[in-house]
Amino acid sequence: MNLKKAIVATLVVSSMLTALAGPIPAGAEAAQEQKQTDNKKVQIDKTMAAKLQKAVKQFAGKEIKLEDVGELENGLVTVQSADGKYGVFFDPKKEKIWSVSVKTTIDKVGKKFQDEALEQLKKAYSKKKYVFNKEVTQSQSYDNSKGKLGEYVTYNLDGKDFRAQVIANISEGYASAGATIDIDKKELDPKLLKTATEASKTAFDHQFDMTKAQIESEWKRHTWVLQDDKVTIYMDSGKAVSLINEQGNKVTTNKEMTEKEATEAVAPLAKKLFNIDITGYVVKWDSLFKDYRFIEKDENTAVRAALDADKNVVYIKSGSRAAAGN
């Protein structure tokens, strides 16, 4: 497999496996849009329990007692072992197991994988000293078609003010890492903050007062995420590429406004924020993400935006963030 394609594949798997550590996987965003935000207990039936038990035994190499109740969140279920050490993550509708996990320790993680994480952390932000905490979560994908463990192993490592994830392909021997690093406001480049403040004012007429800053890093891409009590701004190469009004209420159908009205509301901001002229672009309602895609040639989504009932932008995204919907 081409290395770049392999990295992309592992990052897709990463999105799923991350859910065991807390964040919502990219593949579950549709479930998130359905407002399944309240965790609830789910009784595991005997057939599914047997499948989960088999997967955990393969992973642990011994019989592990699982709880007979799982926790449903955003349409996906996690079942823990009785001792809380192991977990299984699955889709109850498709009866598909995504992964199996175990709580382990840093000394059980190979130096190669620790070095991969450290390298990614230092590439993203070299001014910090990174020391891993003792506890680590290790996950492995599951191949439902073959009824056995899959090719991808993920290590979730963390420390003071950072989280890192290493995804390895067992058979092909490659690994990739991603990281999230918390940055103190006083360490932030004033130019970056100035750009974010101006973008927030343009998009939402909101005076941005940053309370949280992070760097999200994967492969060679490093994205700044700046937040205050209302707005989240994603920035690449010193420019705002995605702005979200976290307090906004977007319309959930395309019946509130026409495509022409959506274009008229979004076009001025797309030009000011991203220097993208969407005049003449094809506009389509995305029923999955409940927003509008503004498409240039070759079906490329250049801008994505959600609007409220008064035609105010709730979020507006460009480039790869617009294409992926994240």
Side-chain angles (χ1 to χ4, degrees):
M1 180 186 285
N2 174 278
L3 179 59
K4 189 170 183 180
K5 289 182 179 179
I7 296 296
V8 172
T10 57
L11 290 174
V12 170
V13 174
S14 162
S15 296
M16 298 184 303
L17 299 183
T18 302
L20 288 164
I24 297 168
E29 286 195 26
Q32 185 183 35
E33 290 296 332
Q34 294 168 11
K35 305 299 183 182
Q36 292 175 305
T37 55
D38 294 329
N39 296 6
K40 66 177 182 178
K41 301 298 181 181
V42 176
Q43 190 73 34
I44 309 301
D45 65 45
K46 291 183 179 180
T47 302
M48 194 68 221
K51 292 180 181 179
L52 301 180
Q53 199 71 56
K54 176 185 174 182
V56 175
K57 184 178 180 180
Q58 290 172 341
F59 183 67
K62 59 183 179 181
E63 293 286 349
I64 300 293
K65 179 176 174 51
L66 293 176
E67 300 284 359
D68 55 10
V69 174
E71 186 172 272
L72 175 69
E73 183 177 7
N74 299 299
L76 302 170
V77 174
T78 302
V79 179
Q80 300 287 348
S81 61
D83 62 5
K85 184 177 180 180
Y86 293 88
V88 193
F89 184 63
F90 74 99
D91 182 333
K93 289 185 177 180
K94 297 180 180 179
E95 297 188 345
K96 179 178 181 180
I97 299 171
W98 284 117
S99 58
V100 187
S101 71
V102 64
K103 292 178 181 177
T104 184
T105 52
I106 190 66
D107 56 293
K108 301 291 178 63
V109 179
K111 185 176 184 300
K112 173 183 177 180
F113 301 130
Q114 293 186 44
D115 289 346
E116 191 80 32
L118 282 171
E119 182 180 355
Q120 187 69 23
L121 287 160
K122 290 175 180 177
K123 280 181 181 177
Y125 196 74
S126 61
K127 297 178 183 180
K128 281 184 179 288
K129 183 178 180 181
Y130 300 102
V131 179
F132 296 122
N133 289 333
K134 182 179 179 180
E135 187 174 286
V136 173
T137 300
Q138 177 185 335
S139 307
Q140 186 163 352
S141 61
Y142 196 79
D143 188 333
N144 291 267
S145 64
K146 297 179 180 179
K148 65 178 185 178
L149 296 170
E151 294 293 317
Y152 295 97
V153 175
T154 297
Y155 298 95
N156 288 305
L157 317 170
D158 59 22
K160 183 175 172 22
D161 299 330
F162 73 88
R163 280 116 359 244
Q165 187 179 72
V166 180
I167 310 99
N169 182 289
I170 301 169
S171 63
E172 299 192 23
Y174 58 78
S176 64
T180 301
I181 306 164
D182 300 329
I183 306 296
D184 192 277
K185 186 174 182 177
K186 64 185 179 184
E187 298 179 50
L188 201 66
D189 183 344
K191 291 182 181 179
L192 196 69
L193 185 55
K194 182 174 184 289
T195 300
T197 301
E198 291 172 350
S200 174
K201 188 71 174 174
T202 299
F204 309 119
D205 194 24
H206 171 68
Q207 183 58 47
F208 189 67
D209 184 14
M210 195 195 80
T211 56
K212 183 178 180 180
Q214 293 180 325
I215 298 175
E216 292 182 353
S217 177
E218 59 183 28
W219 192 221
K220 293 183 178 181
R221 178 180 171 184
H222 310 306
T223 303
W224 282 91
V225 186
L226 309 183
Q227 294 177 286
D228 69 1
D229 61 354
K230 179 179 179 179
V231 173
T232 299
I233 303 173
Y234 291 82
M235 304 187 72
D236 286 341
S237 303
K239 298 179 180 179
V241 294
S242 175
L243 297 97
I244 305 166
N245 174 7
E246 303 289 1
Q247 297 177 7
N249 293 304
K250 67 180 182 180
V251 297
T252 55
T253 74
N254 61 342
K255 296 181 180 181
E256 282 85 348
M257 67 193 77
T258 65
E259 293 172 347
K260 181 175 182 293
E261 288 174 323
T263 301
E264 289 173 348
V266 174
L269 290 181
K271 182 64 176 176
K272 290 177 183 177
L273 292 167
F274 312 134
N275 196 29
I276 298 175
D277 184 358
I278 63 172
T279 305
Y281 281 27
V282 174
V283 54
K284 290 184 179 180
W285 172 256
D286 190 322
S287 58
L288 175 63
F289 293 104
K290 308 295 189 297
D291 58 19
Y292 291 91
R293 297 168 54 212
F294 298 88
I295 305 164
E296 55 180 344
K297 60 182 180 180
D298 301 323
E299 285 294 305
N300 176 45
T301 301
V303 173
R304 180 184 293 270
L307 300 165
D308 66 17
D310 295 320
K311 301 185 181 64
N312 297 310
V313 167
V314 174
Y315 61 69
I316 182 168
K317 308 175 183 185
S318 64
S320 61
R321 304 201 78 86
N326 60 9

mmCIF file of all heavy atoms in Angstrom, residues 64-89:
data_model
loop_
_atom_site.group_PDB
_atom_site.id
_atom_site.type_symbol
_atom_site.label_atom_id
_atom_site.label_comp_id
_atom_site.label_asym_id
_atom_site.label_seq_id
_atom_site.Cartn_x
_atom_site.Cartn_y
_atom_site.Cartn_z
ATOM 1 N N ILE A 64 -12.720 -13.291 29.535
ATOM 2 C CA ILE A 64 -12.933 -12.036 30.271
ATOM 3 C C ILE A 64 -14.429 -11.856 30.487
ATOM 4 O O ILE A 64 -15.213 -11.944 29.536
ATOM 5 C CB ILE A 64 -12.376 -10.823 29.486
ATOM 6 C CG1 ILE A 64 -10.882 -10.967 29.244
ATOM 7 C CG2 ILE A 64 -12.708 -9.517 30.210
ATOM 8 C CD1 ILE A 64 -10.029 -10.910 30.495
ATOM 9 N N LYS A 65 -14.829 -11.623 31.719
ATOM 10 C CA LYS A 65 -16.251 -11.437 32.008
ATOM 11 C C LYS A 65 -16.670 -10.021 31.635
ATOM 12 O O LYS A 65 -16.109 -9.042 32.133
ATOM 13 C CB LYS A 65 -16.536 -11.689 33.493
ATOM 14 C CG LYS A 65 -18.011 -11.499 33.868
ATOM 15 C CD LYS A 65 -18.276 -11.857 35.306
ATOM 16 C CE LYS A 65 -19.708 -11.539 35.730
ATOM 17 N NZ LYS A 65 -20.726 -12.089 34.826
ATOM 18 N N LEU A 66 -17.658 -9.904 30.751
ATOM 19 C CA LEU A 66 -18.186 -8.610 30.339
ATOM 20 C C LEU A 66 -19.471 -8.295 31.089
ATOM 21 O O LEU A 66 -20.217 -9.192 31.485
ATOM 22 C CB LEU A 66 -18.476 -8.604 28.836
ATOM 23 C CG LEU A 66 -17.282 -8.699 27.886
ATOM 24 C CD1 LEU A 66 -17.777 -8.791 26.447
ATOM 25 C CD2 LEU A 66 -16.350 -7.500 28.038
ATOM 26 N N GLU A 67 -19.724 -7.019 31.278
ATOM 27 C CA GLU A 67 -21.006 -6.593 31.834
ATOM 28 C C GLU A 67 -22.114 -6.958 30.842
ATOM 29 O O GLU A 67 -21.889 -7.003 29.626
ATOM 30 C CB GLU A 67 -21.009 -5.080 32.067
ATOM 31 C CG GLU A 67 -19.939 -4.587 33.035
ATOM 32 C CD GLU A 67 -20.297 -4.871 34.478
ATOM 33 O OE1 GLU A 67 -21.389 -5.432 34.728
ATOM 34 O OE2 GLU A 67 -19.490 -4.543 35.366
ATOM 35 N N ASP A 68 -23.317 -7.209 31.334
ATOM 36 C CA ASP A 68 -24.426 -7.537 30.433
ATOM 37 C C ASP A 68 -25.201 -6.295 30.004
ATOM 38 O O ASP A 68 -26.219 -6.379 29.317
ATOM 39 C CB ASP A 68 -25.373 -8.563 31.061
ATOM 40 C CG ASP A 68 -25.904 -8.115 32.417
ATOM 41 O OD1 ASP A 68 -25.686 -6.941 32.777
ATOM 42 O OD2 ASP A 68 -26.539 -8.936 33.106
ATOM 43 N N VAL A 69 -24.699 -5.127 30.402
ATOM 44 C CA VAL A 69 -25.295 -3.848 30.024
ATOM 45 C C VAL A 69 -24.200 -2.957 29.439
ATOM 46 O O VAL A 69 -23.087 -2.886 29.963
ATOM 47 C CB VAL A 69 -25.936 -3.151 31.245
ATOM 48 C CG1 VAL A 69 -26.419 -1.754 30.877
ATOM 49 C CG2 VAL A 69 -27.102 -3.979 31.773
ATOM 50 N N GLY A 70 -24.509 -2.292 28.325
ATOM 51 C CA GLY A 70 -23.572 -1.376 27.710
ATOM 52 C C GLY A 70 -24.081 0.048 27.796
ATOM 53 O O GLY A 70 -25.210 0.303 28.209
ATOM 54 N N GLU A 71 -23.236 0.994 27.386
ATOM 55 C CA GLU A 71 -23.624 2.404 27.399
ATOM 56 C C GLU A 71 -23.743 2.916 25.972
ATOM 57 O O GLU A 71 -22.786 2.859 25.191
ATOM 58 C CB GLU A 71 -22.603 3.237 28.172
ATOM 59 C CG GLU A 71 -23.040 4.690 28.341
ATOM 60 C CD GLU A 71 -22.124 5.463 29.284
ATOM 61 O OE1 GLU A 71 -22.365 5.442 30.498
ATOM 62 O OE2 GLU A 71 -21.167 6.086 28.784
ATOM 63 N N LEU A 72 -24.934 3.395 25.636
ATOM 64 C CA LEU A 72 -25.202 3.929 24.301
ATOM 65 C C LEU A 72 -24.890 5.416 24.266
ATOM 66 O O LEU A 72 -25.354 6.176 25.106
ATOM 67 C CB LEU A 72 -26.678 3.706 23.939
ATOM 68 C CG LEU A 72 -27.165 4.306 22.617
ATOM 69 C CD1 LEU A 72 -26.543 3.580 21.434
ATOM 70 C CD2 LEU A 72 -28.686 4.245 22.538
ATOM 71 N N GLU A 73 -24.092 5.806 23.295
ATOM 72 C CA GLU A 73 -23.794 7.220 23.092
ATOM 73 C C GLU A 73 -23.658 7.481 21.608
ATOM 74 O O GLU A 73 -22.853 6.838 20.924
ATOM 75 C CB GLU A 73 -22.500 7.624 23.817
ATOM 76 C CG GLU A 73 -22.187 9.110 23.688
ATOM 77 C CD GLU A 73 -20.945 9.516 24.468
ATOM 78 O OE1 GLU A 73 -20.262 8.634 25.002
ATOM 79 O OE2 GLU A 73 -20.674 10.719 24.517
ATOM 80 N N ASN A 74 -24.479 8.414 21.100
ATOM 81 C CA ASN A 74 -24.444 8.769 19.677
ATOM 82 C C ASN A 74 -24.617 7.555 18.771
ATOM 83 O O ASN A 74 -23.966 7.419 17.743
ATOM 84 C CB ASN A 74 -23.144 9.499 19.357
ATOM 85 C CG ASN A 74 -23.017 10.768 20.151
ATOM 86 O OD1 ASN A 74 -23.840 11.674 20.037
ATOM 87 N ND2 ASN A 74 -22.012 10.840 20.997
ATOM 88 N N GLY A 75 -25.486 6.639 19.181
ATOM 89 C CA GLY A 75 -25.822 5.504 18.339
ATOM 90 C C GLY A 75 -24.867 4.338 18.416
ATOM 91 O O GLY A 75 -25.062 3.332 17.742
ATOM 92 N N LEU A 76 -23.823 4.441 19.214
ATOM 93 C CA LEU A 76 -22.824 3.377 19.343
ATOM 94 C C LEU A 76 -22.717 2.961 20.805
ATOM 95 O O LEU A 76 -22.978 3.749 21.710
ATOM 96 C CB LEU A 76 -21.475 3.865 18.811
ATOM 97 C CG LEU A 76 -21.509 4.311 17.349
ATOM 98 C CD1 LEU A 76 -20.204 5.017 16.977
ATOM 99 C CD2 LEU A 76 -21.737 3.134 16.412
ATOM 100 N N VAL A 77 -22.324 1.716 21.025
ATOM 101 C CA VAL A 77 -22.349 1.155 22.380
ATOM 102 C C VAL A 77 -20.955 0.702 22.821
ATOM 103 O O VAL A 77 -20.216 0.097 22.042
ATOM 104 C CB VAL A 77 -23.317 -0.045 22.460
ATOM 105 C CG1 VAL A 77 -23.243 -0.724 23.832
ATOM 106 C CG2 VAL A 77 -24.748 0.415 22.184
ATOM 107 N N THR A 78 -20.625 1.005 24.065
ATOM 108 C CA THR A 78 -19.421 0.482 24.689
ATOM 109 C C THR A 78 -19.813 -0.443 25.824
ATOM 110 O O THR A 78 -20.631 -0.084 26.674
ATOM 111 C CB THR A 78 -18.542 1.618 25.260
ATOM 112 O OG1 THR A 78 -18.192 2.514 24.203
ATOM 113 C CG2 THR A 78 -17.265 1.054 25.872
ATOM 114 N N VAL A 79 -19.250 -1.647 25.830
ATOM 115 C CA VAL A 79 -19.460 -2.608 26.909
ATOM 116 C C VAL A 79 -18.130 -2.810 27.624
ATOM 117 O O VAL A 79 -17.117 -3.103 26.982
ATOM 118 C CB VAL A 79 -19.986 -3.957 26.380
ATOM 119 C CG1 VAL A 79 -20.185 -4.948 27.526
ATOM 120 C CG2 VAL A 79 -21.294 -3.763 25.628
ATOM 121 N N GLN A 80 -18.121 -2.667 28.945
ATOM 122 C CA GLN A 80 -16.901 -2.816 29.730
ATOM 123 C C GLN A 80 -16.837 -4.201 30.356
ATOM 124 O O GLN A 80 -17.861 -4.865 30.557
ATOM 125 C CB GLN A 80 -16.860 -1.759 30.842
ATOM 126 C CG GLN A 80 -16.895 -0.325 30.347
ATOM 127 C CD GLN A 80 -15.576 0.110 29.708
ATOM 128 O OE1 GLN A 80 -14.564 -0.570 29.819
ATOM 129 N NE2 GLN A 80 -15.601 1.248 29.047
ATOM 130 N N SER A 81 -15.627 -4.631 30.689
ATOM 131 C CA SER A 81 -15.466 -5.861 31.453
ATOM 132 C C SER A 81 -15.843 -5.594 32.903
ATOM 133 O O SER A 81 -15.902 -4.437 33.344
ATOM 134 C CB SER A 81 -14.023 -6.363 31.362
ATOM 135 O OG SER A 81 -13.125 -5.406 31.897
ATOM 136 N N ALA A 82 -16.084 -6.654 33.645
ATOM 137 C CA ALA A 82 -16.506 -6.506 35.035
ATOM 138 C C ALA A 82 -15.469 -5.767 35.868
ATOM 139 O O ALA A 82 -15.812 -5.020 36.795
ATOM 140 C CB ALA A 82 -16.775 -7.889 35.639
ATOM 141 N N ASP A 83 -14.182 -5.941 35.522
ATOM 142 C CA ASP A 83 -13.123 -5.257 36.276
ATOM 143 C C ASP A 83 -12.781 -3.884 35.712
ATOM 144 O O ASP A 83 -11.904 -3.186 36.220
ATOM 145 C CB ASP A 83 -11.857 -6.126 36.341
ATOM 146 C CG ASP A 83 -11.273 -6.412 34.961
ATOM 147 O OD1 ASP A 83 -11.784 -5.875 33.961
ATOM 148 O OD2 ASP A 83 -10.289 -7.178 34.879
ATOM 149 N N GLY A 84 -13.470 -3.477 34.635
ATOM 150 C CA GLY A 84 -13.246 -2.163 34.050
ATOM 151 C C GLY A 84 -11.988 -2.037 33.218
ATOM 152 O O GLY A 84 -11.671 -0.957 32.718
ATOM 153 N N LYS A 85 -11.279 -3.136 33.014
ATOM 154 C CA LYS A 85 -9.996 -3.084 32.293
ATOM 155 C C LYS A 85 -10.191 -3.151 30.779
ATOM 156 O O LYS A 85 -9.480 -2.490 30.021
ATOM 157 C CB LYS A 85 -9.096 -4.222 32.759
ATOM 158 C CG LYS A 85 -7.701 -4.199 32.149
ATOM 159 C CD LYS A 85 -6.817 -5.309 32.713
ATOM 160 C CE LYS A 85 -5.427 -5.266 32.086
ATOM 161 N NZ LYS A 85 -4.549 -6.333 32.631
ATOM 162 N N TYR A 86 -11.150 -3.960 30.330
ATOM 163 C CA TYR A 86 -11.371 -4.169 28.893
ATOM 164 C C TYR A 86 -12.669 -3.497 28.438
ATOM 165 O O TYR A 86 -13.569 -3.247 29.250
ATOM 166 C CB TYR A 86 -11.442 -5.659 28.565
ATOM 167 C CG TYR A 86 -10.136 -6.389 28.765
ATOM 168 C CD1 TYR A 86 -9.809 -6.939 30.002
ATOM 169 C CD2 TYR A 86 -9.227 -6.531 27.727
ATOM 170 C CE1 TYR A 86 -8.608 -7.601 30.201
ATOM 171 C CE2 TYR A 86 -8.028 -7.193 27.904
ATOM 172 C CZ TYR A 86 -7.718 -7.722 29.139
ATOM 173 O OH TYR A 86 -6.528 -8.380 29.332
ATOM 174 N N GLY A 87 -12.751 -3.226 27.145
ATOM 175 C CA GLY A 87 -13.961 -2.658 26.575
ATOM 176 C C GLY A 87 -14.164 -3.121 25.152
ATOM 177 O O GLY A 87 -13.204 -3.440 24.447
ATOM 178 N N VAL A 88 -15.415 -3.200 24.718
ATOM 179 C CA VAL A 88 -15.755 -3.515 23.329
ATOM 180 C C VAL A 88 -16.677 -2.419 22.820
ATOM 181 O O VAL A 88 -17.612 -2.004 23.503
ATOM 182 C CB VAL A 88 -16.483 -4.872 23.197
ATOM 183 C CG1 VAL A 88 -16.524 -5.300 21.739
ATOM 184 C CG2 VAL A 88 -15.828 -5.926 24.046
ATOM 185 N N PHE A 89 -16.408 -1.976 21.599
ATOM 186 C CA PHE A 89 -17.119 -0.850 21.008
ATOM 187 C C PHE A 89 -17.830 -1.351 19.757
ATOM 188 O O PHE A 89 -17.186 -1.913 18.859
ATOM 189 C CB PHE A 89 -16.089 0.225 20.672
ATOM 190 C CG PHE A 89 -16.651 1.496 20.130
ATOM 191 C CD1 PHE A 89 -17.497 2.287 20.882
ATOM 192 C CD2 PHE A 89 -16.295 1.934 18.864
ATOM 193 C CE1 PHE A 89 -17.994 3.481 20.377
ATOM 194 C CE2 PHE A 89 -16.779 3.127 18.353
ATOM 195 C CZ PHE A 89 -17.630 3.898 19.116
#
